Amino acid sequence: MRINEIFKAILAGIAIGIAGFVNLNVGCGILGAVLFAFGLLAVVSQGFWLFTGMAHKVWRDGHNRLLTVLFFNFIGCMIVAAAVSGATITECAEGIISARIAKGSLRCGILAIGCGFIMTTAVRGAYNGNWWPLLFGVPVFIMCGFPHCVADAFYISSCSKDFLMENWLEVLLFYVAIVPGNYIGCNLYRFGSDQC
């Protein structure tokens, strides 16, 4: 990846990290879900590289750097988590990750498909000049509890070291499950579309 592409991926992670911080800061309710839409608005309007914003393009554009994009998205999330760390944020983030662990990896992976589908619908709508799916799609996936691999990167980065050390295997397993889940969801539209 070129340096400007790396920055685009890191900035996408920062945008989603800020959105995740707002969500945790207001208590993870409907207000936080609505305000989280800022993250995707920033990504789409500024042309940042987000894993779920690019996953639906792989087949058409031959973009084979998705995991590298995700790595740098994660770095952006870690930067925000380091900047905003605090007891309240850590407690809320650990609550979200604990809920993911309780659901189990398989269920999280399946639920992540729903998030990917919503994200691709939102992004494709915005590219066509219709921003409503983006504004409503983000709150929908959050209120449904669908995992998003970049948002969850921020939540993981916001957890305490003790929590992560105690639950490292469960966190790894659910995260490894949600990445392909998001990818599959981002590409579901292909089954009903004449366009690739």
Side-chain angles (χ1 to χ4, degrees):
M1 285 177 71
R2 294 180 305 209
I3 192 74
N4 68 317
E5 296 169 341
I6 291 170
F7 279 123
K8 285 181 179 182
I10 291 172
L11 288 170
I14 288 172
I16 299 302
I18 290 169
F21 170 61
V22 170
N23 186 32
L24 296 180
N25 208 32
V26 299
C28 294
I30 187 69
L31 178 61
V34 169
L35 293 174
F36 197 108
F38 162 80
L40 195 55
L41 282 165
V43 166
V44 174
S45 66
Q46 299 303 309
F48 298 154
W49 283 20
L50 183 68
F51 178 88
T52 51
M54 301 182 77
H56 69 99
K57 298 180 185 181
V58 171
W59 301 56
R60 185 187 69 209
D61 297 345
H63 194 288
N64 58 3
R65 296 171 284 182
L66 271 179
L67 291 179
T68 307
V69 168
L70 180 59
F71 172 79
F72 287 111
N73 289 166
F74 211 118
I75 296 294
C77 289
M78 290 172 66
I79 290 168
V80 176
V84 302
S85 64
T88 302
I89 299 303
T90 298
E91 183 180 340
C92 291
E94 289 176 359
I96 290 171
I97 299 304
S98 292
R100 301 274 198 258
I101 291 170
K103 286 177 184 168
S105 299
L106 179 60
R107 187 166 177 213
C108 283
I110 292 168
L111 292 173
I113 294 171
C115 176
F117 177 75
I118 292 168
M119 289 299 88
T120 293
T121 301
V123 170
R124 286 171 60 93
Y127 287 158
N128 292 319
N130 182 1
W131 292 81
W132 292 111
L134 192 147
L135 292 171
F136 288 105
V138 173
V140 167
F141 93 74
I142 290 173
M143 296 310 294
C144 288
F146 294 163
H148 182 281
C149 59
V150 180
D152 281 15
F154 171 73
Y155 300 138
I156 291 167
S157 299
S158 297
C159 292
S160 68
K161 289 178 184 161
D162 289 342
F163 177 88
L164 292 175
M165 291 298 290
E166 185 177 328
N167 299 288
W168 70 270
L169 181 58
E170 293 87 351
V171 171
L172 179 64
L173 290 174
F174 101 76
Y175 196 79
V176 167
I178 68 173
V179 172
N182 282 166
Y183 178 81
I184 291 166
C186 287
N187 287 282
L188 279 180
Y189 77 95
R190 295 181 182 285
F191 293 106
S193 174
D194 295 330
Q195 302 175 16
C196 290

